[in-house]
Amino acid sequence: MTQPVQPSDFQKRALTLAQQRSAPAFLQTVRQQGLDEFGQIQWPGRKTEMWKYTTLRPVEAFANAGWPADDVAADGKQLASLPELDATRLVFVDGLFDGAASDELPDGVRLFSQADEAARVVLDQYLVKIAKDIDPSRRNLFAALNDAWLTDGVLVYVPKNATLEKPLYVVHLSTAQAAERVANQRLLVVLEQGASADLIEHYLSADDASASFVNTLTEIHVGDNARLSHTRLNLEHEASSHVGAVHINLQRSAVANGFTLAEGGELKRLDYQINHCGEGAELNLNGLYLGRHQQHVDYHTTIEHRVPNCTSQEVFRGIVGDKAKAVFNGRIHIHQDAQKTLAELNNRNLLTSNTAEVDTKPELEIYADDVRCAHGATISQLDETALYYLQSRGIELPQARMMLSYGFINEVLETLPHEGIRTALQKRLRQRFVEEI
Amino acid sequence: MLQIKELVAEIDGKQILNGLNLTIGDGEVHAIMGPNGAGKSTLGNVLTGRDGYEVKSGEVLFNGKNLFDLEIEERAREGMFLAFQYPVEIPGVSNMEFLKASLDARRKHQGLEELSSFDFMKLARETSAKVSLDAAFLKRGVNEGFSGGEKKRNEILQMMLLEPQLCILDETDSGLDIDALQVVANGVNAMRDGKRSFIVVTHYQRLLDYIVPDHVHVLAGGKIVKSGDKELAKELEAKGYGWLEGEVA
Amino acid sequence: MSEQVESLIRKDYAAGFHSAIESDTLPPGLNEDVIRHISAQKEEPQWMLDWRLKAFEAWQQMSEPTWAHVHYPQIDFQSISYYSSPKSMKNRPKSLDEVDPELLETYKKLGIPLHEQEALAGVAVDAVFDSVSVVTTFRKKLSEAGVIFCPISEAIREYPELVQKYLGSVVPQKDNYYAALNSAVFSDGSFVYIPKGVRCPMELSTYFRINELNTGQFERTLIVADEGSHVSYLEGCTAPMRDENQLHAAVVELVALDNAQIKYSTVQNWYPGDKEGKGGIYNFVTKRGIAHTNARISWTQVETGSAVTWKYPSCILKGDNSVGEFYSVALTNNFQQADTGTKMIHLGKNTSSTIIAKGISAGRSNSSYRGLVRINPAAEGARNFTQCDSLLIGDRCGAHTFPYIENRNASAVIEHEATTSKVSDDQMFLCQQRGLDAEKAVSMIVNGFCREVFKELPMEFAVEAGKLLEVSLEGSVG
């Protein structure tokens, strides 16, 4: 069934854009492979399983976009409103590094463009190689685009048994000029054996910004006995489009704790692709998504259990109202050798309007018999009994709804390890539900 | 009835039984006591043939037959019964169906006719009344959603139905309140007929107030380190197991 | 113990014999002439031929679906014969006495005696042999109640208004690749009409038998339950053991008008292929029912046969308060593959659906549940509950779950749960310690696993289904 691919206008434009920017010579191979792959991909439509419920029209709207000017700088006002956090802050504006707004880079953290010989060795070993061997039908085509557009990125390298002293807080700001621009963001995190690191990715829009398109790829290697804490916040303006992916390889007895939150936009799509490569690895991933107005939000998670004795626990919750649409697809794939796997996925949704939509698809594909796997998905409303209980205590219905909606989200929010961010998000989300009363 | 000679057994490459010797005569009740991790449960599992337990050396004769020549179900049909410490749930399989299939297998082995459904139901109801288990439990899935006490009573129900020759009670008293303990003990005592033998594995002396043993053995470090009569159990209750440590080495 | 649960000699597929019956079989190949020939053989009116030709035209434009989790070599549709009829059926026998005794013997051997005095009391049977219906029992008794139960070929001639009104109304000609093929070449199957307010006095059943080599079977079943009526229907199917794969592409349409109830049960035991995966039936089936106001459609299936199964008995819950149910046991062994499940489309208010799917995989087989629950914006107060459980026996098989849940109504409540487990060592040990052998233990545990579904089957067949499961599991336990 190999028919010649008719590239979409966006694909053609993307390839042209890739040629317009230069990059360090050692990234050329990666860029070329990305170009080749992205150019060959059949542009997804409704019959493409991975894009069944999500249209790429918002991305196609960027078929005439260009790169941002090189001299963008962060607006101090925006940065001042970021949550309080004892962390090393790295600021990107429309995909470009803003050195002035960033803290000094600690040991082990550097930009690809400033890679020394040792860093290049690491890049060579890991870049594009994380979660590469997942099922081709789950392949995220925008990862190839990220390769094609690659000019720079952040490399985090934590050597054996070392700990990244402070959390690394990577802020990506989309500005007003992003409306006609595309941005590319890339992170590579390598935790060697016994190392640990704490990474926070925060995507937001400037107050005067609206539309934007960001394509992101975060690749994380968690070595034997290493520990990762990863937080990913997608809180850009509702006119924005964001297609992103987090690829993680877990080696022997590695532990990864992930948290993610997305507010809907023109298009918000995030793919988690997690590969259990070493025995005894453990994954905990908690997520929240919220959609209102005409927003669209979409999470796809793919978990590959290749080896025995690993665990994965996933909890995703969403609230969707107005004319918004939320998509969740969670796939757990247990390979034949992955005996004694424990894998669970729980997805709960509240749908609050008849013009909104939730499409969820929890999938299990299992080839090993001695495993414990389960998934559950629900779509419902707020619990009538709980509403009644609150009302019987004198709380008005809208207020009761707000409290219960917030409570539904907050249960997951409580798992966020960073107090500063947690507090800021709790305030933001409470405010969101208050507005909806 | 049962002769255990120099039994050595291991699980996952770890040696648990260490040259254990024990002889059980017809109609005798033997209590096996000992500290946690002494190999008490292992003994019952090895005797009944549970997977994962590897017999390295030694010999066990059950009514003169080499026990290790027999499959799990053959040992059961020969009259060996294990009352589990943690009875497993089998969803959807009704207790009644399970009990009848077990009894049919045992009777067939004995050259007896299978009981008719009518006779079986009657027997099952009578027996469940004896262990104070509501007959409704017969219709439910095997142990499905049973409380700890209900599971243990269901074990005794099975034991009474199958009329085994040798009953091994593996910490049947654990997690039981005093009423349930009495039900279990009454069940056992009712089955003492001078021919049937019992191995009562327990951590506490309490059960032995109700089921009075002929012999008490202390199992430690994978072998019997001390044997005596029922007074030994009381001594253990008073002193604990620590004073026996010298004998383990 | 899991190794133990793996090797044991497989008994033969009991229904695997071939009957030496002379047949008129069309040469392989598919074109308009073949369709005209089938239509002429059945003495069909022009409208029926036109309907078939339209379907054929559509089919030629379509391509085979590839989304299911099954793999099989490309089917050469020109190498299949599309019509085969026992010679003795050329002049339709007027009564059982005129039917070729060899045919009757075949059914007797399959446990389906067709003489009414020997038949299972309370069950009327339509026996379909390759492309034709051999006999339909108890027609007199049924017609006294006003129930029509006859081969669909006969219904097309005798009850054209009913057939024209409902044929293709639930599964349109172009619905999917295999439905379009079936619409073009369907040969026989059953037609049922239950008049208003009538509770069908007997269980109705159709027994499908493929006998000829290289023929496909394309049956078409249409059941119309008029307002306030009730019917329970069961289909069974078998085929000889052959090294070649054979295609079975059926369409079943159910229409439950206001307040009507249809219970449709299937015990599918097509030849599954041998233990090396050679031969067996490709079972590509479209089954769908439409439920009007207060109507109820209940699908129960026990799928143990076929090399490849692709089948999603579905309910369109059009009327307010209508109910859809799907109870399924799919057991695969050796190299069998099953991709089966259901679609529940909620259109009416206060509609509810229940899905209980049990998949059992053994050997090197793969069993997938694939389902869709869709709540449309108008389906105020819709409810769905789905439970999918998979049991794996051995570590060379696969068990998969692909549920699609689409909700566009804020008052809907949807719950989906799926679990995967194996026959645990502890369960096996308990059974064996109580004196049961390994095979009996596994069969008992598996039957327990399926209990929720078996209890939905008509009594007579629940026992059959349990036994079938035992036979199908043979060779998976040691």
Side-chain angles (χ1 to χ4, degrees):
Chain A
M1 290 260 234
T2 39
Q3 283 166 350
V5 169
Q6 242 347 305
S8 66
D9 288 348
F10 177 80
Q11 270 170 302
K12 286 187 228 161
R13 180 66 187 163
L15 299 181
T16 312
L17 285 171
Q19 315 284 4
Q20 284 178 6
R21 284 180 124 189
S22 59
F26 63 88
L27 292 176
Q28 273 316 324
T29 319
V30 168
R31 280 166 56 90
Q32 191 56 50
Q33 281 168 359
L35 263 175
D36 293 344
E37 190 185 341
F38 189 71
Q40 288 304 310
I41 287 165
Q42 176 69 53
W43 190 244
R46 268 202 1 210
K47 298 228 159 159
T48 315
E49 188 62 27
M50 286 290 275
W51 296 89
K52 187 176 165 71
Y53 299 108
T54 297
T55 169
L56 279 168
R57 254 178 268 120
V59 172
E60 288 157 16
F62 284 80
N64 295 310
W67 292 111
D70 285 341
D71 55 354
V72 288
D75 175 349
K77 235 181 27 215
Q78 315 295 344
L79 299 180
S81 69
L82 289 174
E84 269 185 45
L85 204 60
D86 183 19
T88 307
R89 186 192 281 175
L90 262 62
V91 178
F92 287 79
V93 179
D94 295 333
L96 301 173
F97 182 62
D98 184 344
S102 302
D103 293 332
E104 193 184 327
L105 271 49
D107 277 355
V109 179
R110 59 177 68 223
L111 299 178
F112 293 1
S113 54
Q114 293 161 8
D116 58 10
E117 193 47 43
R120 281 186 207 178
V121 170
V122 175
L123 283 169
D124 197 47
Q125 195 178 344
Y126 293 103
L127 199 64
V128 202
K129 305 218 170 61
I130 313 276
K132 185 78 176 170
D133 49 354
I134 67 154
D135 189 326
S137 69
R138 305 289 292 187
R139 176 99 176 108
N140 160 25
L141 69 125
F142 285 90
L145 176 62
N146 201 286
D147 294 345
W149 280 356
L150 189 60
T151 55
D152 208 347
V154 179
L155 170 66
V156 181
Y157 179 81
V158 186
K160 194 169 167 179
N161 295 327
T163 299
L164 196 64
E165 201 181 329
K166 282 186 184 183
L168 189 69
Y169 181 35
V170 180
V171 177
H172 184 112
L173 187 69
S174 294
T175 68
Q177 75 143 323
E180 306 276 305
R181 316 284 174 194
V182 296
N184 205 49
Q185 180 85 47
R186 182 70 165 251
L187 266 84
L188 174 65
V189 179
V190 176
L191 306 183
E192 294 285 18
Q193 186 184 332
S196 70
D198 192 340
L199 174 70
I200 303 144
E201 297 183 67
H202 187 169
Y203 292 81
L204 73 162
S205 301
D207 290 345
D208 58 348
S210 55
S212 57
F213 172 61
V214 187
N215 179 32
T216 71
L217 178 57
T218 299
E219 296 175 290
I220 307 175
H221 167 90
V222 189
D224 294 354
N225 294 303
R227 291 185 73 91
L228 168 77
S229 165
H230 178 253
T231 303
R232 170 71 175 242
L233 309 173
N234 280 56
L235 304 173
E236 301 110 316
H237 191 274
E238 66 177 345
S240 70
S241 294
H242 181 129
V243 178
V246 178
H247 295 180
I248 302 177
N249 272 1
L250 296 171
Q251 303 299 334
R252 186 177 290 268
S253 300
V255 178
N257 291 307
F259 176 90
T260 179
L261 167 68
E263 290 180 327
E266 191 69 18
L267 167 63
K268 291 280 184 78
R269 163 69 176 253
L270 201 52
D271 287 35
Y272 273 83
Q273 308 204 322
I274 293 153
N275 215 358
H276 283 86
C277 314
E279 282 195 42
E282 177 188 332
L283 167 77
N284 301 294
L285 179 60
N286 292 338
L288 289 172
Y289 46 89
L290 299 158
R292 61 176 169 180
H293 306 151
Q294 311 239 18
Q295 297 169 358
H296 188 102
V297 58
D298 176 350
Y299 271 100
H300 272 59
T301 68
T302 305
I303 300 184
E304 302 278 338
H305 280 273
R306 296 178 180 280
V307 292
N309 297 309
C310 294
T311 66
S312 54
Q313 299 278 348
E314 263 184 287
V315 174
F316 272 82
R317 287 192 186 178
I319 301 185
V320 190
D322 299 334
K323 293 185 168 179
K325 180 168 169 177
V327 180
F328 178 80
N329 178 308
R331 182 177 197 260
I332 298 170
H333 182 182
I334 314 284
H335 295 249
Q336 197 184 323
D337 290 335
Q339 294 292 3
K340 309 273 180 203
T341 293
L342 177 69
E344 282 173 358
L345 162 66
N346 184 280
N347 173 232
R348 290 174 61 188
N349 299 275
L350 291 181
L351 186 66
T352 63
S353 129
N354 278 0
T355 44
E357 178 172 344
V358 171
D359 301 309
T360 174
K361 189 185 177 205
E363 293 179 41
L364 287 171
E365 197 168 335
I366 298 177
Y367 298 94
D369 60 339
D370 193 8
V371 298
R372 280 207 354 247
C373 297
H375 68 222
T378 62
I379 309 175
S380 60
Q381 307 82 48
L382 294 172
D383 180 25
E384 297 267 347
T385 325
L387 278 174
Y388 172 71
Y389 183 78
L390 292 184
Q391 284 179 281
S392 76
R393 296 294 176 266
I395 298 164
E396 296 207 9
L397 186 60
Q399 171 82 3
R401 284 186 181 286
M402 186 282 284
M403 289 168 72
L404 290 179
S405 300
Y406 175 73
F408 178 75
I409 292 295
N410 196 40
E411 273 184 76
V412 180
L413 214 48
E414 289 284 354
T415 66
L416 219 171
H418 304 284
E419 200 192 334
I421 297 181
R422 193 170 63 233
T423 314
L425 288 177
Q426 281 171 331
K427 200 173 146 206
R428 181 185 175 109
L429 297 180
R430 187 178 279 277
Q431 181 58 32
R432 182 187 167 106
F433 291 120
V434 169
E435 278 168 29
E436 282 169 14
I437 297 181
Chain B
M1 169 141 341
L2 187 77
Q3 284 101 29
I4 305 175
K5 294 175 198 157
E6 291 297 324
L7 181 60
V8 176
E10 59 176 49
I11 181 166
D12 291 336
K14 199 178 153 211
Q15 196 159 308
I16 307 285
L17 296 183
N18 233 332
L20 185 139
N21 290 294
L22 185 63
T23 300
I24 293 180
D26 288 356
E28 293 175 357
V29 176
H30 290 244
I32 309 260
M33 304 184 71
N36 288 327
K40 298 197 298 292
S41 290
T42 299
L43 178 61
N45 287 328
V46 168
L47 290 179
T48 49
R50 189 173 203 142
D51 227 27
Y53 293 84
E54 203 180 332
V55 175
K56 301 306 281 188
S57 62
E59 187 186 36
V60 178
L61 296 177
F62 180 44
N63 288 330
K65 288 186 185 163
N66 182 356
L67 191 67
F68 301 133
D69 286 346
L70 303 175
E71 295 293 328
I72 304 171
E73 61 268 29
E74 289 168 337
R75 298 180 199 187
R77 291 171 192 171
E78 287 283 334
M80 187 178 275
F81 181 93
L82 175 67
F84 289 73
Q85 185 179 4
Y86 304 109
V88 65
E89 300 190 7
I90 312 180
V93 176
S94 86
N95 219 359
M96 192 75 101
E97 180 189 357
F98 170 70
L99 294 172
K100 179 149 194 326
S102 305
L103 185 57
D104 286 349
R106 169 100 164 112
R107 289 180 67 92
K108 201 170 153 202
H109 185 74
Q110 291 171 317
L112 299 170
E113 294 240 334
E114 292 182 3
L115 284 186
S116 72
S117 295
F118 180 82
D119 291 342
F120 173 76
M121 301 265 266
K122 193 162 163 280
L123 179 64
R125 284 214 192 88
E126 284 167 9
T127 317
S128 66
K130 283 186 196 159
V131 295
S132 310
L133 201 60
D134 193 292
F137 284 93
L138 294 170
K139 291 188 182 157
R140 285 171 51 179
V142 177
N143 294 322
E144 200 180 351
F146 288 24
S147 72
E150 287 156 0
K151 282 181 183 169
K152 294 292 173 71
R153 277 182 268 166
N154 199 27
E155 292 293 292
I156 301 303
L157 164 66
Q158 291 165 39
M159 184 169 86
M160 295 175 98
L161 272 179
L162 295 177
E163 303 185 324
Q165 291 192 40
L166 173 65
C167 308
I168 305 165
L169 280 71
D170 187 8
E171 306 216 17
T172 300
D173 52 333
S174 69
L176 287 191
D177 61 29
I178 199 77
D179 291 340
L181 193 68
Q182 251 164 1
V183 167
V184 168
N186 291 343
V188 171
N189 290 332
M191 290 183 72
R192 289 175 78 162
D193 60 358
K195 279 184 260 160
R196 184 172 291 120
S197 309
F198 293 84
I199 299 176
V200 181
V201 174
T202 181
H203 191 72
Y204 301 105
Q205 192 262 340
R206 189 177 66 155
L207 179 66
L208 305 181
D209 286 343
Y210 300 96
I211 304 172
V212 181
D214 302 309
H215 304 275
V216 174
H217 309 279
V218 179
L219 181 62
K223 51 170 82 165
I224 304 286
V225 295
K226 196 167 181 65
S227 297
D229 58 12
K230 62 185 180 189
E231 296 308 318
L232 175 59
K234 295 202 171 108
E235 200 177 343
L236 288 167
E237 180 79 358
K239 296 191 192 167
Y241 294 104
W243 61 285
L244 286 167
E245 234 146 62
E247 325 224 358
V248 178
Chain C
M1 200 145 323
S2 1
E3 290 92 49
Q4 241 187 18
V5 184
E6 258 176 78
S7 64
L8 206 128
I9 10 80
R10 185 195 163 84
K11 272 194 206 148
D12 288 339
Y13 172 71
F17 62 89
H18 169 254
S19 309
I21 287 172
E22 265 196 275
S23 288
D24 282 325
T25 304
L26 267 186
L30 181 55
N31 52 49
E32 267 195 36
D33 289 341
V34 167
I35 292 162
R36 287 176 196 281
H37 177 85
I38 295 171
S39 188
Q41 285 288 316
K42 306 271 179 196
E43 298 164 36
E44 285 177 354
Q46 185 64 35
W47 62 264
M48 193 66 243
L49 175 61
D50 293 344
W51 196 84
R52 287 177 180 274
L53 291 172
K54 206 174 131 200
F56 182 59
E57 201 185 313
W59 179 74
Q60 288 173 300
Q61 307 300 317
M62 298 167 90
S63 51
E64 256 180 281
T66 53
W67 40 261
H69 193 88
V70 292
H71 305 279
Y72 53 91
Q74 185 124 33
I75 297 171
D76 178 3
F77 290 93
Q78 295 304 333
S79 72
I80 298 171
S81 166
Y82 288 84
Y83 191 80
S84 176
S85 159
K87 275 210 161 85
S88 61
M89 294 301 293
K90 192 130 197 172
N91 300 308
R92 273 193 309 282
K94 297 282 172 294
S95 75
L96 214 53
D97 302 338
E98 293 175 27
V99 174
D100 178 357
E102 186 67 26
L103 275 171
L104 297 179
E105 188 54 35
T106 300
Y107 282 91
K108 201 169 175 179
K109 245 166 117 176
L110 293 167
I112 321 284
L114 296 175
H115 285 285
E116 293 187 5
Q117 59 273 27
E118 297 167 15
L120 211 47
V123 183
V125 180
D126 182 17
V128 177
F129 193 86
D130 288 329
S131 304
V132 292
S133 168
V134 174
V135 72
T136 311
T137 64
F138 293 106
R139 291 180 66 164
K140 190 154 168 284
K141 184 171 176 190
L142 289 169
S143 68
E144 281 164 13
V147 172
I148 303 172
F149 180 41
C150 67
I152 198 157
S153 49
E154 188 180 318
I156 291 165
R157 295 188 301 268
E158 307 288 330
Y159 311 100
E161 300 82 15
L162 279 172
V163 175
Q164 245 182 314
K165 182 168 176 190
Y166 292 110
L167 188 74
S169 70
V170 190
V171 180
Q173 287 140 298
K174 297 182 213 173
D175 188 81
N176 67 68
Y177 189 77
Y178 296 110
L181 178 64
N182 176 284
S183 300
V185 303
F186 76 86
S187 36
D188 228 328
S190 302
F191 174 76
V192 175
Y193 174 78
I194 317 288
K196 262 184 207 175
V198 169
R199 184 178 280 270
C200 187
M202 326 180 67
E203 294 272 343
L204 304 184
S205 86
T206 305
Y207 196 92
F208 296 97
R209 174 74 177 171
I210 296 180
N211 192 55
E212 269 303 297
L213 184 66
N214 293 331
T215 53
Q217 195 179 50
F218 305 92
E219 92 246 9
R220 184 111 196 170
T221 294
L222 173 61
I223 299 178
V224 180
D226 212 327
E227 291 173 21
S229 68
H230 287 233
V231 62
S232 170
Y233 176 96
L234 183 121
E235 65 167 359
C237 26
T238 56
M241 291 194 280
R242 290 212 174 87
D243 287 350
E244 297 80 13
N245 295 106
Q246 278 178 283
L247 177 63
H248 169 255
V251 171
V252 175
E253 295 178 277
L254 309 184
V255 179
L257 296 175
D258 294 359
N259 303 304
Q261 295 194 10
I262 301 177
K263 184 172 176 62
Y264 191 107
S265 313
T266 304
V267 176
Q268 188 265 103
N269 187 26
W270 293 118
Y271 178 53
D274 68 10
K275 61 180 191 295
E276 265 79 50
K278 205 167 184 194
I281 302 291
Y282 293 155
N283 187 37
F284 300 152
V285 174
T286 305
K287 290 183 168 172
R288 194 177 302 150
I290 186 160
H292 291 264
T293 306
N294 297 324
R296 173 191 291 260
I297 290 178
S298 174
W299 297 101
T300 304
Q301 60 174 24
V302 177
E303 303 277 320
T304 59
S306 297
V308 180
T309 295
W310 178 101
K311 179 182 172 190
Y312 315 91
S314 302
C315 298
I316 299 168
L317 303 173
K318 184 171 179 234
D320 292 352
N321 311 314
S322 56
V323 176
E325 294 169 322
F326 176 74
Y327 302 98
S328 171
V329 165
L331 183 147
T332 54
N333 195 359
N334 299 320
F335 286 84
Q336 283 178 274
Q337 306 173 64
D339 193 296
T340 185
T342 183
K343 295 183 200 176
M344 293 290 175
I345 312 294
H346 291 252
L347 305 175
K349 289 188 177 58
N350 299 314
T351 47
S352 77
S353 59
T354 303
I355 300 171
I356 308 285
K358 306 278 181 178
I360 302 139
S361 314
R364 290 167 168 268
S365 70
N366 273 286
S367 175
S368 304
Y369 167 81
R370 185 181 304 276
L372 169 67
V373 173
R374 176 182 289 156
I375 315 287
N376 272 37
E380 205 64 33
R383 294 284 178 274
N384 164 264
F385 175 76
T386 302
Q387 175 78 47
C388 300
D389 297 314
S390 307
L391 193 66
L392 290 103
I393 300 176
D395 62 356
R396 311 290 290 176
C397 53
H400 321 301
T401 317
F402 306 106
Y404 295 76
I405 305 164
E406 306 174 359
N407 183 14
R408 295 201 278 154
N409 185 293
S411 65
V413 176
I414 305 168
E415 288 174 74
H416 169 98
E417 283 171 32
T419 65
T420 299
S421 56
K422 66 166 196 163
V423 175
S424 84
D425 290 352
D426 287 350
Q427 290 174 341
M428 286 294 288
F429 180 58
L430 173 62
C431 291
Q432 288 180 278
Q433 211 297 307
R434 297 300 182 254
L436 308 180
D437 59 42
E439 202 175 340
K440 173 75 186 163
V442 167
S443 124
M444 190 182 259
I445 293 165
V446 170
N447 263 292
F449 175 77
C450 301
R451 174 137 307 175
E452 279 169 280
V453 174
F454 285 170
K455 75 176 167 45
E456 297 298 327
L457 284 171
M459 249 301 242
E460 305 85 327
F461 301 105
V463 181
E464 275 306 300
K467 282 191 201 148
L468 201 55
L469 218 58
E470 267 172 47
V471 173
S472 300
L473 269 173
E474 261 162 35
S476 68
V477 189

